[in-house]
Amino acid sequence: MRKLIRKAQKGDGEAFIELMELHKENMYKVACSYLRSEADIADAMQQTILDSFEKIGTLEQPRYFKTWLIRILINNCNDMLRESKKVLPMDEIREMEWENPQTDLMEFLDTLDSLDEKYRTILILYYVEGFKIREIAQLLKINESTVNSRLQRGRSCYREVLEHSIG
Amino acid sequence: MEYRDRRNDELKERLSTGITLTDTVNEKVEEAYAQIRRQGQAGKVKHYKRPRKTVVLLAACVGVMATSVLVAAATGFFTRDTQMEEDMLTYAFDLDYDLKPGTFEVIAQYIPEGYVEGDTNKYWPEDNWGHGFTLMPILNTADLEREGNKIQENNVENVEHATLSGMEADVITFKEADRYEAPTVIFLFNPQEGYVLEVWGDYNVPQEELVKVADSLTVERIGDAEYDSEEEKARAAEELQQEESLQAEIEEINSRGVAAEHVIPVGTAYTLERENSRKTFTVEEAEITDTLENYDTGNFYDYSLVEPWLLEDGSLRPYTRQHYENDTLLDEETVEQCFLRVKVKVSQELLEGAEDWDREVALDARIQRLGDFQGNSYQWPTDYYQPVPSEHNFLHIDDNCVYLDQPANLEGEERAHSFFWRTMDDGEELEYEIIFVLDKDLSQSNLALSFNAFANPGTAEGIFFSIF
């Protein structure tokens, strides 16, 4: 991947697209943890791809590419949230706006829905992106102990939901 | 395993399991890719792409050069072994892990006249935006380890050793630099401080100016860095595996070709079903023509790319193209160009719950050659053509159309991003024309047109209109 990053930094669009192909699924999952409409998620991803192509020359360390990319995505998601100011509950919105999701996506969204909003992004960054607590704290601009406690709480909430559903 | 751990594992599995992106998201992602390709095509952002294909025919003529230079500093962070085999230059590094890697900051004290800082450590001529030089991020020993303890450059024509900014340096030029508009690359090695610096110069930057830049660098160690832990190395290996598996997936999809039922004739309507809309596309007519008449220059996505090729009578000048088979250069020849005019009808039906997003329609398309028909599928050809880079012919790249007769977004950013997009209301119908540039001798191939509004080949909506 480092080679792709360095090629992309020299302006190789195809190398950059290959990088995006590698990361788009995880980007999508992170965006899902923030945004409630599929169209907003699509816009945030598109903007992130264009922003990161424009700015990739400024990335000093290719090893931080993923953190850097997710930071841009999170900024775009936050911008989108500020613009849309959508306040409807997630379930309702998803039913309205999600277009022909495949079963795997449905299952992912169901799992996400079972988690409280404030734990979703942290759990995605931890389990999907494989970020460390310190990295998540930097990304979300919150302190490490908050990340740690939300991670713990998010896990217990999930267990509680499961236990409740099992009866 | 404890109940709690099992649940945590289950949560991890559920969140990290593979998912299929929806068409809406895929469309937006593809649109972003198309913009990136167009920017590269127009040379507006960053121009040069190193020749991505190995030029086997020409390499054979150059001869074989094999040298090995071992530069061993008495003390330092690394020793370097330089190997030149045929046209592949390899620097192999032996690292001293007892010394702590650093982080560094580099500043060029000499900037050629007329160059401005376009981006961090990127300098471009004011009148040739994007075509300058870059001080690449410095590689410390931890970075070198991540690179597999080596740096490689292929297609190398010549390596000139020098001392620049007090460091051992190699000025690298590439084969057929003029033809491929190849860059010049300068590596500077500092084993005492533990870093390698790369100064990358676009083809348009005079080599003597690039050398002056490389000879004016000041580098400061600003902090410490760490070698990757075992955990980080495992993660990198996992990423590499993902990359390989994605590549295998792409190859598998390509090997399936295009199923016969996904190739439909001109005159057939195809409806793109969405939850909130139905968009119906019909290719009404396709015509090859040598000349273009009655066109509006503003309706070309970028007329400045077309103009140099247009003759007074509206026909196109011939150009030199290369023919590759499995990445091997077969031949090079001058060929004539022609236009393919395609008339399309699209209609919009908005359903209950449709939002602004659903009103947008991508009108552009790509034209591709289909290969042999085997079983029930058309195979993708293994050969391909591309203009010789120094021809500056950007009309064929990525097979996109170059003209739309009724663009709605004509100014500034809107033009750059949404030229081929149009907002259409419920019940609205539009008859429009798009124009491609083709190689005349390929115009009678098995050409297939795919709209960018549809999903990729290999998916249920990978529909192609057979043009001839």
Side-chain angles (χ1 to χ4, degrees):
Chain A
M1 192 164 73
R2 296 175 59 80
K3 283 190 174 62
L4 286 178
I5 293 168
R6 290 181 75 79
K7 276 183 170 180
Q9 287 183 313
K10 293 171 184 175
D12 187 332
E14 290 304 325
F16 181 80
I17 287 167
E18 267 186 76
L19 275 174
M20 292 298 104
E21 282 296 297
L22 284 170
H23 287 89
K24 73 177 181 186
E25 189 180 313
N26 285 356
M27 286 164 68
Y28 187 67
K29 287 179 176 178
V30 173
C32 282
S33 73
Y34 271 88
L35 301 169
R36 302 167 177 200
S37 116
E38 187 191 8
D40 284 349
I41 289 168
D43 283 342
M45 285 188 61
Q46 185 188 49
Q47 197 55 49
T48 301
I49 292 169
L50 294 171
D51 287 349
S52 50
F53 183 61
E54 194 183 314
K55 294 173 185 165
I56 192 164
T58 63
L59 175 68
E60 288 283 327
Q61 294 286 332
R63 64 192 296 220
Y64 297 131
F65 173 75
K66 199 163 74 174
T67 319
W68 173 83
L69 180 68
I70 296 300
R71 178 74 256 162
I72 295 173
L73 175 66
I74 288 173
N75 286 343
N76 282 327
C77 288
N78 282 328
D79 286 349
M80 208 71 77
L81 277 175
R82 273 193 291 274
E83 279 169 26
S84 61
K85 293 178 184 165
K86 286 180 178 167
V87 289
L88 287 172
M90 181 175 261
D91 290 350
E92 195 177 330
I93 297 279
R94 284 219 168 104
E95 276 172 25
M96 270 188 346
E97 299 189 18
W98 225 259
E99 192 176 293
N100 303 323
Q102 300 281 320
T103 313
D104 52 18
L105 176 59
M106 288 284 284
E107 284 171 2
F108 171 78
L109 294 173
D110 284 346
T111 305
L112 211 56
D113 286 351
S114 71
L115 300 165
D116 190 285
E117 199 167 351
K118 61 181 173 288
Y119 307 132
R120 282 177 198 147
T121 307
I122 285 176
L123 288 164
I124 294 283
L125 294 176
Y126 187 78
Y127 282 130
V128 178
E129 292 285 1
F131 286 128
K132 291 174 185 162
I133 288 171
R134 177 172 44 82
E135 292 171 313
I136 297 172
Q138 285 167 351
L139 265 170
L140 301 181
K141 295 177 183 164
I142 51 179
N143 64 46
E144 288 183 33
S145 59
T146 308
V147 175
N148 207 5
S149 62
R150 286 191 190 172
L151 202 53
Q152 303 291 344
R153 187 69 199 128
R155 287 166 175 158
S156 355
C157 284
Y158 177 71
R159 285 197 296 274
E160 283 163 23
V161 169
L162 273 186
E163 280 157 19
H164 182 71
S165 65
I166 292 166
Chain B
M1 187 185 283
E2 297 232 352
Y3 170 80
R4 197 174 61 179
D5 292 338
R6 274 206 313 276
R7 289 303 181 209
N8 287 348
D9 286 349
E10 188 182 307
L11 176 60
K12 180 180 180 180
E13 193 185 322
R14 282 184 174 221
L15 290 176
S16 54
T17 194
I19 54 167
T20 311
L21 274 63
T22 60
D23 295 328
T24 304
V25 173
N26 267 326
E27 279 171 22
K28 279 279 183 177
V29 168
E30 286 298 325
E31 189 194 330
Y33 292 169
Q35 282 180 37
I36 288 166
R37 288 183 174 120
R38 284 198 187 104
Q39 284 175 327
Q41 188 172 333
K44 291 282 169 59
V45 176
K46 292 136 190 166
H47 174 64
Y48 177 73
K49 284 200 287 186
R50 186 165 296 168
R52 60 194 172 96
K53 308 301 172 196
T54 309
V55 186
V56 174
L57 273 185
L58 300 171
C61 306
V62 174
V64 176
M65 193 167 42
T67 58
S68 176
V69 180
L70 183 66
V71 179
T75 54
F77 284 75
F78 59 79
T79 55
R80 169 173 53 100
D81 180 30
T82 304
Q83 294 276 349
M84 182 77 176
E85 197 167 337
E86 297 194 351
D87 60 2
M88 173 72 84
L89 173 68
T90 303
Y91 297 115
F93 299 92
D94 190 10
L95 309 178
D96 183 343
Y97 286 91
D98 292 333
L99 297 174
K100 198 167 186 58
T103 55
F104 301 91
E105 194 171 71
V106 58
I107 296 171
Q109 303 295 340
Y110 173 76
I111 305 298
E113 199 179 332
Y115 281 64
V116 292
E117 186 165 14
D119 208 335
T120 308
N121 279 342
K122 280 178 184 283
Y123 294 86
W124 301 323
E126 277 174 303
D127 58 352
N128 202 2
W129 203 245
H131 297 211
F133 63 89
T134 305
L135 309 180
M136 294 295 289
I138 290 181
L139 298 172
N140 59 25
T141 44
D143 294 319
L144 290 174
E145 191 200 35
R146 289 181 204 111
E147 298 281 350
N149 290 26
K150 67 181 176 188
I151 297 173
Q152 286 187 308
E153 292 287 343
N154 64 12
N155 246 11
V156 170
E157 171 73 38
N158 187 48
V159 181
E160 197 176 312
H161 305 295
T163 301
L164 299 172
S165 297
M167 291 176 261
E168 285 182 21
D170 283 351
V171 181
I172 301 166
T173 48
F174 296 90
K175 284 180 177 166
E176 298 199 273
D178 291 339
R179 192 172 194 65
Y180 289 97
E181 305 207 324
T184 299
V185 170
I186 301 176
F187 281 109
L188 299 97
F189 306 93
N190 194 328
Q192 285 74 34
E193 298 291 326
Y195 61 83
V196 177
L197 233 165
E198 180 184 355
V199 181
W200 185 91
D202 184 88
Y203 170 72
N204 295 283
V205 180
Q207 192 178 312
E208 60 274 18
E209 290 290 345
L210 196 70
V211 169
K212 279 189 198 172
V213 171
D215 200 22
S216 76
L217 304 177
T218 53
V219 180
E220 187 189 348
R221 180 168 173 139
I222 53 172
D224 291 341
E226 300 288 341
Y227 284 105
D228 281 351
S229 63
E230 290 308 312
E231 190 189 335
E232 285 168 321
K233 284 177 185 167
R235 203 196 291 183
E238 198 181 319
E239 281 174 358
L240 184 64
Q241 205 173 11
Q242 280 174 3
E243 201 174 318
E244 285 167 356
S245 107
L246 177 75
Q247 193 54 40
E249 198 181 319
I250 291 168
E251 280 168 18
E252 199 276 319
I253 289 171
N254 283 340
S255 72
R256 280 188 244 151
V258 183
E261 59 269 28
H262 283 217
V263 182
I264 59 177
V266 168
T268 311
Y270 176 74
T271 300
L272 183 66
E273 298 274 357
R274 291 283 185 257
E275 190 160 318
N276 299 325
S277 72
R278 292 193 192 103
K279 302 175 203 306
T280 302
F281 286 80
T282 311
V283 173
E284 295 185 314
E285 197 182 316
E287 181 199 9
I288 297 284
T289 170
D290 284 339
T291 58
L292 207 54
E293 290 156 6
N294 304 322
Y295 59 84
D296 183 338
T297 56
N299 292 346
F300 283 97
Y301 175 69
D302 189 341
Y303 184 65
S304 70
L305 303 179
V306 185
E307 195 178 14
W309 296 95
L310 271 179
L311 297 170
E312 269 184 26
D313 65 356
S315 64
L316 291 158
R317 281 197 294 119
Y319 80 105
T320 307
R321 74 170 182 206
Q322 296 177 321
H323 185 198
Y324 289 88
E325 169 88 41
N326 291 326
D327 293 352
T328 301
L329 179 63
L330 298 177
D331 55 41
E332 220 174 81
E333 59 184 334
T334 300
V335 290
E336 293 187 344
Q337 305 182 87
C338 60
F339 296 101
L340 169 66
R341 307 180 76 133
V342 180
K343 288 198 170 138
V344 184
K345 183 167 75 181
V346 61
S347 60
Q348 170 84 292
E349 184 184 355
L350 296 176
L351 308 176
E352 198 183 334
E355 294 204 8
D356 277 355
W357 158 259
D358 298 297
R359 297 164 68 219
E360 293 176 36
V361 186
L363 302 176
D364 56 340
R366 297 175 68 191
I367 193 85
Q368 288 160 289
R369 283 185 306 135
L370 296 180
D372 296 338
F373 189 71
Q374 287 172 13
N376 191 40
S377 300
Y378 293 93
Q379 299 302 302
W380 290 111
T382 52
D383 67 327
Y384 61 94
Y385 299 88
Q386 66 180 34
V388 173
S390 57
E391 293 270 295
H392 292 172
N393 184 342
F394 302 112
L395 306 178
H396 303 262
I397 293 175
D398 211 31
D399 315 308
N400 273 305
C401 50
V402 295
Y403 183 93
L404 170 66
D405 70 341
Q406 297 164 66
N409 303 304
L410 287 163
E411 300 301 328
E413 284 287 301
E414 283 280 293
R415 183 185 183 97
H417 294 168
S418 310
F419 181 79
F420 290 103
W421 285 73
R422 196 181 183 90
T423 305
M424 291 176 67
D425 289 323
D426 183 37
E428 195 176 337
E429 191 173 277
L430 177 73
E431 283 191 298
Y432 66 96
E433 184 179 61
I434 46 178
I435 297 177
F436 300 84
V437 174
L438 295 179
D439 292 353
K440 205 166 181 179
D441 62 336
L442 298 178
S443 63
Q444 297 306 311
S445 311
N446 196 359
L447 294 177
L449 183 138
S450 60
F451 284 93
N452 287 338
F454 299 177
N456 287 328
T459 66
E461 286 175 347
I463 295 294
F464 292 81
F465 287 86
S466 177
I467 296 295
F468 298 107

